Amino acid sequence: MNVSVDDIYQHLRGEILAGALFADAPLREAAIAEQHGVSRTPVRDALRRLSGDGLVTLTPHRGARVSELATTDTAAVFELRALLEGFAARHAAERGSPDLDRLSDLCDAMETCAVGGGDPDEITRLNLEFHRLVHAASDNPLLPGVLQDVIAISLVRRTFSAYDDVETARSFSQHRDLVRALRARDGAWAEAVMVAHIRGARRAYEEGTSTPKETS
């Protein structure tokens, strides 16, 4: 089986967006080439594409590393997320056909996982599936792809790690409220809940990066 530049690009992109590769993690061409059974040339091309996406930083004599957003960039990311995800929630409620049973199951799973401290990685995975279902239900074929690029999954991971018990309970309660709004087909309510949810995530992220918290 021939491995293409796009195969390597998609694999690395998925690893970065899933949080499997952390900010500033080195991306060694030789190791990646060996993993995929290719020469360094397609790996180099894939890393250039990722650099163009803003996911990888290429530095002379230092190689490629996973990018870390600056504080000003994270503020812009959360602002854009609030705008786009609020839009998605409104349209999912008014025009879409959200899978309400699955969304409720994900709420249950996140709350169960959080009992006793939970695993931030698993909560992150469940949370991302929850949000993606809302995006997909927005009845806008372009929106899920745009939001996939906007949402920096490493931010979501670090946000959940920074949450205290009160913030976690608030976040999960907002998930429940969003499901209620979608069930009621109330677009304004769904949008307001989602915007508040993203703003809460931003505050937790900013407080977590300025004053690190212990997590159980």
Side-chain angles (χ1 to χ4, degrees), residues 13 16-17 27 50-57 65-68:
R13 186 176 188 276
I16 294 170
L17 291 179
L27 298 168
L50 291 165
S51 176
D53 293 342
L55 296 175
V56 166
T57 300
R65 305 183 85 85
V66 178
S67 297
E68 181 165 10

Side-chain angles (χ1 to χ4, degrees), residues 16-20 22 106 109-110 113-114 118-132 151-163 172 175:
I16 294 170
L17 291 179
F22 291 96
L106 288 167
M110 280 185 275
C113 185
D119 177 2
D121 289 345
E122 178 62 10
I123 295 173
T124 293
R125 186 188 69 77
L126 295 168
N127 178 72
L128 288 169
E129 183 180 350
F130 182 94
H131 282 256
R132 285 169 181 161
I151 297 174
I153 304 309
S154 58
L155 296 185
V156 178
R157 173 193 295 263
R158 278 179 260 166
T159 299
F160 272 115
S161 297
Y163 277 0
F172 291 165
H175 284 153

Side-chain angles (χ1 to χ4, degrees), residues 68-98:
E68 181 165 10
L69 294 175
T71 302
T72 53
D73 292 329
T74 61
V77 167
F78 279 114
E79 184 178 349
L80 192 55
R81 279 189 63 189
L83 178 66
L84 292 177
E85 294 206 65
F87 176 90
R90 173 184 281 275
H91 280 250
E94 295 176 348
R95 305 181 185 181
S97 300

Side-chain angles (χ1 to χ4, degrees), residues 3-9 12 29 32-33 36-50:
V3 177
S4 67
V5 173
D6 191 62
D7 292 331
I8 300 169
Y9 165 81
L12 291 173
E29 291 181 10
I32 297 169
H36 291 278
V38 298
S39 69
R40 291 192 183 192
T41 300
V43 173
R44 197 170 294 123
D45 290 341
L47 291 173
R48 288 195 189 102
R49 285 180 61 183
L50 291 165

Side-chain angles (χ1 to χ4, degrees), residues 140-155:
N140 185 316
L142 297 178
L143 200 54
V146 171
L147 276 164
Q148 183 178 349
D149 289 335
V150 169
I151 297 174
I153 304 309
S154 58
L155 296 185

